[in-house]
Amino acid sequence: MSFTGDWSVYWDIFRAEYEDYVLVTGTAEKDKKIQAATLRSVMGSECRHVYRHNLNLSVAGTGDPAVILDELEKYFKPAKNTIYERYIFGSCKQEEGESIDNFVMRLRERAATCEYGQLKDEMIRDKIVLGIANESIRRRLLREKGLTLITAIEMCRAAEQTDIRMRAMEISSPPHTEAVHAVAKQHSRKQTPILSNKTNGSRATHPEPETQCKLDYESSLMTTFWTPWGRKRWLKLPFGVSVAPEVYQRKQHELLAGLKGIEPIADDILVVGCGDTDKEAESDHDAKLVALMERCREVKLRLGLKKLQFKVAEVQFHGHILSSAGLKPDLEKIEKECLSKIATTYTVPRDADTHRRRSMLPCRAPAQETLYWPNMQTEIKDFVSTCSTCNVYAHNQQKETMLSHDLPTRPWQILSMDMFAHRQKDYLLIVDHYSDFWEIELLPDMSAETVIKRCKAQFARHGQPERVITVLSLPLSSRASPLNGSSSM
């Protein structure tokens, strides 16, 4: 008998196998002592340990296999809590990669201990509808009238086999080109969609695309950060990670693989409909858009509505404009990028007056990305080195080093205090520099007397601080007048 999982399940399996063994070998016709010895020899070392040390058997009971089986039954299958067993059954959901047959088998095992009686098949049917991972199959099951357990299982099996066959066909089928879905190869390996005849297109964008990618446990630990409530970690790919765009784009290509007329780039998705007439182009576009929406629903990919371009003759797509006339650059975007890199205006103070000077920004990287002329780097270096205004005021533009407070050696030694307002109520915030622990006190008024009383209450609880850091506007003097407003951190 196995002890690696649910004992009650493995006990039922062992007992059924033992009873079959007794019938096959003819042991049932022999003396009970021989049957009991046979049972002890086949139960395994771990079960034999339970037999010796956990069962209260009489001398006569040790020679009766039926008594031994009943006592072991009580040990491995204690009284069930029906409410808890039904909770476990209700929590079952189809796991990623789990087939419908394995899911149904798991539901049957859980339902066996729930005492549903005649409602057992109906409960399993309902749990299949609610717990299946494929959203489109769930919708199909909900539309079915008079749905039975057998019908639900057959529909799920058929849909599962269809998905497997479609994925196999997508992998094995070679790429082909049709007249109304022209795809032209440019610059050898790069493929660019060229719209032919009448076209109709849409562009969809993902809101916060990186946060749709789940992190594994080890990667999640690498995103741990400190908060006043303890250490937290990201469960999904956070914004700002250098590899986030590449990871998301690869994931997006995997999720949308096999959809014709769908071109995902970065966080944008281009839907292209083609045809000889406007009606044909619109019909082709709508069919591809519906296919995209169904795929997004299946893989749980969210799209944003703010940047949606729906059914337009020209689509702006990553620096290009796609239309029935072909592919052309987006001049507006190119102009903006060039202007942002060429020049800038900055202000330099001279004595008491303000002198404004307009010139090229002395930076090599933006110049190299935008323009070129012979000896460009040398001339930029000479220009910066001979600029009298830049040399005079260069030392005045240095960044000041941030000064840190002294590190405390014990809790409540150094505090920071300030006031803030929330929902038309004023509060006093006190933060301990040693532990980052904070306290908040509600202030009925902004007088110095009230603030001092709240501070005394906190100091009595945690101890007298050696140093308190606060803003000048905080009323801590008994001669200070009440404030009408509050300061912010």
Side-chain angles (χ1 to χ4, degrees), residues 175-197 199 259-263 270 272-274 284 288 322 327:
H176 60 279
T177 304
E178 300 177 0
V180 295
H181 302 92
V183 177
K185 292 185 178 180
Q186 297 182 352
H187 309 293
S188 64
R189 297 183 180 179
K190 182 180 179 181
Q191 292 187 349
T192 305
I194 303 298
L195 313 186
S196 60
N197 301 333
T199 61
L259 294 179
K260 295 182 179 180
I262 306 298
E263 295 292 337
L270 180 66
V272 182
C274 303
D284 182 57
K288 294 174 180 176
L322 289 83
L327 182 68

Side-chain angles (χ1 to χ4, degrees), residues 18 25 46 105 107 135 175 221 224 240-241 322 367 371 426 475:
Y18 171 74
T25 59
E46 293 180 337
M105 181 174 62
L107 290 178
E135 185 70 23
L221 291 178
T224 303
V241 180
L322 289 83
L371 304 172
D426 297 310

Side-chain angles (χ1 to χ4, degrees), residues 4 14 111 144 149 199 213 239 244 277 301 310 335 358 360 430 442 485:
T4 57
F14 170 76
E144 188 73 15
L149 175 59
T199 61
C213 300
F239 178 78
T277 63
L301 185 64
F310 184 64
E335 181 181 359
R358 188 177 186 86
M360 291 287 295
I430 305 176
L442 175 63

Side-chain angles (χ1 to χ4, degrees), residues 317-348:
F317 195 63
H318 282 265
H320 299 84
I321 296 179
L322 289 83
S323 65
S324 58
L327 182 68
K328 60 182 180 180
D330 188 352
L331 299 180
E332 182 179 353
K333 185 172 184 179
I334 294 176
E335 181 181 359
K336 289 181 179 179
E337 292 181 355
C338 291
L339 291 176
S340 64
K341 295 179 180 180
I342 291 178
T344 185
T345 302
Y346 59 91
T347 301
V348 179

Side-chain angles (χ1 to χ4, degrees), residues 166-167 169-171 249-264 269 291-292 295-296 298-299 301:
M166 289 298 296
R167 283 195 292 267
M169 292 171 63
E170 291 172 0
I171 296 174
Q249 185 164 350
R250 176 177 59 81
K251 187 67 175 179
Q252 180 179 255
H253 277 274
E254 294 175 357
L255 297 177
L256 302 181
L259 294 179
K260 295 182 179 180
I262 306 298
E263 295 292 337
I269 302 176
L292 173 64
R295 177 67 63 86
C296 292
E298 291 178 4
V299 300
L301 185 64

Side-chain angles (χ1 to χ4, degrees), residues 40 55 70 72 97 214-215 384 396:
R40 288 190 292 269
L55 302 184
D70 290 341
L72 288 174
K214 292 184 178 180
L215 294 175
V384 174
N396 294 331

